[in-house]
Amino acid sequence: MEVIKKLPTNKIICGDCQHIIKSFPDNSIDLIMTSPPYADSRKKTYGGILPDEYPDWFFPKSAEFLRVLKPTGTFILNIKEKVVDGQRHTYVLEIILGMKKQGWLWTEEFIWHKKNCYPGKWPNRFRDAWERCLQFNKEKKFNMYQDNVMLPVGSWSKTRLKKLGSMDKIRFESQSKSGFGKNIANWLDRDMVYPTNVLHLATECSYKDHSAPFPVELPEWFIKLFTLEGDIVLDPFSGSGTSALAAARLGRNYIGIEILENYCEASRNKLLNVEDTLFKISSTGAKYD
Amino acid sequence: MEVIKKLPTNKIICGDCQHIIKSFPDNSIDLIMTSPPYADSRKKTYGGILPDEYPDWFFPKSAEFLRVLKPTGTFILNIKEKVVDGQRHTYVLEIILGMKKQGWLWTEEFIWHKKNCYPGKWPNRFRDAWERCLQFNKEKKFNMYQDNVMLPVGSWSKTRLKKLGSMDKIRFESQSKSGFGKNIANWLDRDMVYPTNVLHLATECSYKDHSAPFPVELPEWFIKLFTLEGDIVLDPFSGSGTSALAAARLGRNYIGIEILENYCEASRNKLLNVEDTLFKISSTGAKYD
DNA sequence: AGCTCTTATGAATCATTGA
DNA sequence: GTCAATGATTCATAAGAGC
């Protein structure tokens, strides 16, 4: 496959990422944020890679990710090992060790604490309430914009933020982009602290079937932390398009790759809505108090 | 070294655990709960095992742990990899893989979320607010007393008698054709729930006792979960004796092994106080509600 | 608008049954 | 026998409904 000069940004591409990315130029992506299909012991389901075969399935892809990532870029891999025959499987550990052999630096492991994890009771195990968000880098010096994910001190703002609907969040982001809006000023007055490497987010419980593996806040957080506006965010296993949605909301250029056509369609529809809203906000100059 | 018949329970033994444990009989310990000395790039400090050498330092010890653990017993290893040269080191991953080769089952990984972790700021890294508590077992069937660590139910059901949602009823009725059984009792009047594999505990921040690696609540939780009164709890890297203290408080028999004499002394003093108090309580018949 | 109450559901895991 | 499908168990959250 011929290497292209211009990346196909702000698109959901339908296909196998291992093949598609081969056409991307070296050192061109600022952030890769993805949650690959989980290993599964059932053979027939989509993405049902057997746990034992998972590392070998993954390594050719991570090698391409390494090639296209900018030296200052970051790769965030959201993953969790399944229980197989009463034990945690080791494929995630093997992936970390194998990626280091490929040349990746394993910089950090963030914990996503799933506040509303799946229920259940078993004689020898509690509910699984966390997943790994592994941070890999190409170089020891990488871009990190810590001030963009600072948290207000205390709980006063938690209730306030929680009350905002998703549309309000879009408005909030568009306001903070342009840097005005009196709400922002109010919020900035408060004391802010840096977060830790533990993220507390609830999974999305949607009424409809637009289920996403992770809440949009998860990619949002990493996109704000590791990219600036106009940077390029790649999700090679785009699924329902949550990472792309987060990137679009935040004014980053997204590239989503997804192998299943119906997921691609659903993602594109979601993204059209967001982009339409963002355009309207910016063109009417609407303000919100 | 001769194998002894009677375990030296309720003692802090001063010495190298790898040597001491050789005298313990097979299949005699109910729970091993420990936090080994951390790997350290500075050689001269106590426990300053180099990260690269850490797995080989650890494996002879974990082999002995496997031998002395009862088939129904559990080994909880509290550990976290250090950052070395900008990366998370891989010695913990290597330890998991190596222990599996020794015959251990890697059953689960609990997360200890440190709510008030140390402050600090670095340009490319946030504060580290979590540690691993790795659960290893000898057999797939092991003792686990889940009811002993139940938690008050979340605030979502403030009503004393929470009613079942209709979907829950449908699920219930489709599941049990025999009508109402004892399970209904589990649902009504529910005010306690089972925890998850994420533990939220504050770290102890005392200036004087710099040595305590974890708060006493951490070993307490695992001791309650995996042992009964009268069972034997071993901490082969006893340090300031936090695990032994937790075991003593809970009426379990402890064995602490610690290589540094001054830590042993400090532990023994702490434990004397506790045992004295416990003795007084039992002999006066005092009760607490 | 603000509450409370109801309802649906989610990257789960184990035991049992069926092929 | 091995492997795949089904049933049983369970809790925090958000959207909707009602007041």
Side-chain angles (χ1 to χ4, degrees):
Chain A
M1 183 183 272
E2 198 85 4
V3 171
I4 55 181
K5 299 246 169 82
K6 176 81 175 63
L7 282 170
T9 52
N10 302 316
K11 285 188 175 59
I12 301 292
I13 304 165
C14 199
D16 179 351
C17 68
Q18 190 174 330
H19 178 70
I20 303 282
I21 294 178
K22 285 230 162 68
S23 69
F24 292 5
D26 297 353
N27 307 316
S28 54
I29 305 288
D30 293 283
L31 173 66
I32 303 174
M33 163 88 228
T34 198
S35 186
Y38 280 12
D40 206 322
S41 32
R42 292 163 307 187
K43 271 183 183 168
K44 293 197 176 173
T45 49
Y46 155 66
I49 306 106
L50 290 174
D52 289 342
E53 298 167 0
Y54 203 87
D56 286 334
W57 171 84
F58 188 75
F59 288 140
K61 295 162 182 69
S62 58
E64 282 301 306
F65 302 163
L66 182 63
R67 183 183 65 78
V68 299
L69 191 71
K70 284 185 188 171
T72 53
T74 291
F75 174 24
I76 298 292
L77 178 61
N78 167 229
I79 197 165
K80 180 66 190 269
E81 48 270 62
K82 275 246 154 63
V83 172
V84 177
D85 197 28
Q87 288 188 77
R88 290 282 164 198
H89 202 277
T90 56
Y91 56 85
V92 176
L93 314 186
E94 289 158 32
I95 280 176
I96 296 171
L97 295 173
M99 284 178 65
K100 279 180 65 84
K101 281 186 187 154
Q102 290 181 325
W104 286 101
L105 307 180
W106 180 34
T107 307
E108 181 57 302
E109 179 169 347
F110 293 86
I111 295 296
W112 168 28
H113 168 42
K114 296 189 280 189
K115 285 188 290 185
N116 61 338
C117 63
Y118 201 90
K121 184 187 184 313
W122 311 276
N124 53 357
R125 185 174 296 283
F126 286 138
R127 290 170 294 147
D128 191 5
W130 65 279
E131 295 194 12
R132 306 177 196 278
C133 291
L134 302 166
Q135 178 191 346
F136 295 96
N137 290 95
K138 218 163 159 171
E139 308 280 348
K140 280 167 67 176
K141 299 278 180 189
F142 50 86
N143 293 330
M144 189 179 198
Y145 311 101
Q146 299 189 352
D147 290 345
N148 294 345
V149 293
M150 290 189 83
L151 300 167
V153 140
S155 58
W156 64 269
S157 65
K158 273 187 183 170
T159 48
R160 176 116 175 82
L161 280 166
K162 203 176 173 182
K163 294 281 160 67
L164 295 176
S166 60
M167 193 53 66
D168 290 319
K169 282 178 189 155
I170 293 172
R171 290 166 183 161
F172 173 74
E173 297 299 345
S174 75
Q175 281 180 332
S176 43
K177 273 198 297 188
S178 40
F180 58 82
K182 67 180 185 183
N183 283 344
I184 308 305
N186 288 341
W187 296 19
L188 289 180
D189 281 341
R190 309 287 174 163
D191 286 332
M192 306 286 274
V193 296
Y194 291 105
T196 71
N197 58 0
V198 177
L199 285 78
H200 302 273
L201 297 173
T203 54
E204 269 167 10
C205 274
S206 65
Y207 260 107
K208 304 157 198 171
D209 52 355
H210 295 82
S211 65
F214 47 65
V216 69
E217 286 84 1
L218 190 76
E220 264 181 8
W221 195 81
F222 286 110
I223 288 168
K224 283 195 272 192
L225 180 57
F226 291 117
T227 69
L228 297 175
E229 277 187 61
D231 280 358
I232 299 177
V233 178
L234 167 67
D235 186 345
F237 307 100
S238 185
S240 55
T242 312
S243 300
L245 181 70
R249 279 190 190 177
L250 294 167
R252 275 68 169 173
N253 294 298
Y254 64 84
I255 304 173
I257 307 177
E258 168 56 39
I259 203 161
L260 287 188
E261 183 59 53
N262 54 338
Y263 275 111
C264 291
E265 276 306 311
S267 305
R268 287 172 190 139
N269 290 333
K270 273 204 288 193
L271 286 158
L272 279 180
N273 287 336
V274 171
E275 278 152 19
D276 201 39
T277 307
L278 289 175
F279 174 75
K280 274 184 196 157
I281 290 172
S282 68
S283 57
T284 60
K287 286 182 188 169
Y288 304 88
D289 307 289
Chain B
M1 183 181 273
E2 197 87 2
V3 170
I4 54 180
K5 299 242 170 83
K6 176 78 173 66
L7 282 170
T9 53
N10 303 316
K11 287 189 173 58
I12 300 292
I13 304 165
C14 199
D16 180 351
C17 68
Q18 190 174 328
H19 178 70
I20 303 281
I21 294 179
K22 285 230 162 68
S23 70
F24 292 6
D26 297 352
N27 308 314
S28 55
I29 305 288
D30 292 285
L31 173 65
I32 303 173
M33 163 89 230
T34 199
S35 185
Y38 283 5
D40 205 321
S41 27
R42 296 160 304 183
K43 260 190 180 168
K44 293 203 175 168
T45 51
Y46 158 63
I49 307 105
L50 290 174
D52 288 342
E53 298 166 0
Y54 204 86
D56 286 334
W57 171 83
F58 189 75
F59 288 140
K61 294 161 182 70
S62 59
E64 283 301 306
F65 303 162
L66 182 63
R67 184 182 64 78
V68 299
L69 191 71
K70 285 185 188 172
T72 54
T74 292
F75 174 24
I76 298 293
L77 178 61
N78 167 230
I79 197 166
K80 180 67 189 272
E81 48 271 65
K82 276 247 155 60
V83 173
V84 177
D85 197 27
Q87 287 188 77
R88 289 284 167 196
H89 202 276
T90 56
Y91 56 85
V92 176
L93 314 184
E94 289 157 32
I95 281 175
I96 296 172
L97 295 173
M99 284 178 66
K100 278 179 66 81
K101 282 186 189 154
Q102 290 181 324
W104 286 102
L105 306 180
W106 180 35
T107 306
E108 182 56 301
E109 179 170 345
F110 293 85
I111 294 298
W112 167 27
H113 172 224
K114 298 189 277 189
K115 283 190 292 190
N116 59 341
C117 63
Y118 276 101
K121 185 181 182 323
W122 301 269
N124 54 358
R125 186 172 295 282
F126 286 138
R127 286 171 297 154
D128 191 3
W130 66 279
E131 295 193 12
R132 307 178 196 277
C133 292
L134 303 166
Q135 178 192 345
F136 295 96
N137 290 96
K138 220 163 156 169
E139 308 279 349
K140 279 169 69 175
K141 299 279 181 188
F142 50 86
N143 293 331
M144 190 179 200
Y145 311 101
Q146 300 188 350
D147 291 346
N148 295 344
V149 293
M150 290 188 83
L151 301 165
V153 76
S155 56
W156 50 269
S157 75
K158 284 174 188 166
T159 48
R160 186 88 180 95
L161 276 160
K162 182 184 184 295
K163 290 178 183 176
L164 298 177
S166 72
M167 196 54 186
D168 288 324
K169 282 175 189 157
I170 291 167
R171 282 183 182 182
F172 180 79
E173 281 155 14
S174 69
Q175 286 162 1
S176 61
K177 290 169 187 170
S178 54
F180 306 105
K182 59 180 182 183
N183 293 332
I184 286 287
N186 289 341
W187 281 88
L188 302 174
D189 280 331
R190 168 72 59 91
D191 57 354
M192 299 288 274
V193 297
Y194 292 101
T196 70
N197 58 1
V198 177
L199 286 75
H200 302 274
L201 298 175
T203 50
E204 272 164 12
C205 287
S206 96
Y207 288 100
K208 291 182 181 177
D209 194 10
H210 196 278
S211 56
F214 44 61
V216 70
E217 287 84 3
L218 190 76
E220 261 180 11
W221 196 81
F222 287 110
I223 288 168
K224 284 195 273 189
L225 181 57
F226 290 116
T227 69
L228 297 175
E229 278 188 55
D231 281 356
I232 299 177
V233 178
L234 168 67
D235 185 344
F237 306 100
S238 185
S240 56
T242 311
S243 301
L245 182 70
R249 278 193 194 174
L250 293 167
R252 274 70 168 173
N253 294 297
Y254 64 83
I255 304 173
I257 307 177
E258 170 53 41
I259 203 161
L260 287 190
E261 183 59 53
N262 53 338
Y263 276 113
C264 290
E265 277 306 311
S267 305
R268 285 173 191 140
N269 290 334
K270 271 204 290 193
L271 285 158
L272 279 179
N273 288 336
V274 171
E275 278 151 18
D276 201 39
T277 308
L278 289 175
F279 174 74
K280 275 183 195 156
I281 290 170
S282 69
S283 56
T284 59
K287 286 183 187 166
Y288 302 89
D289 306 291

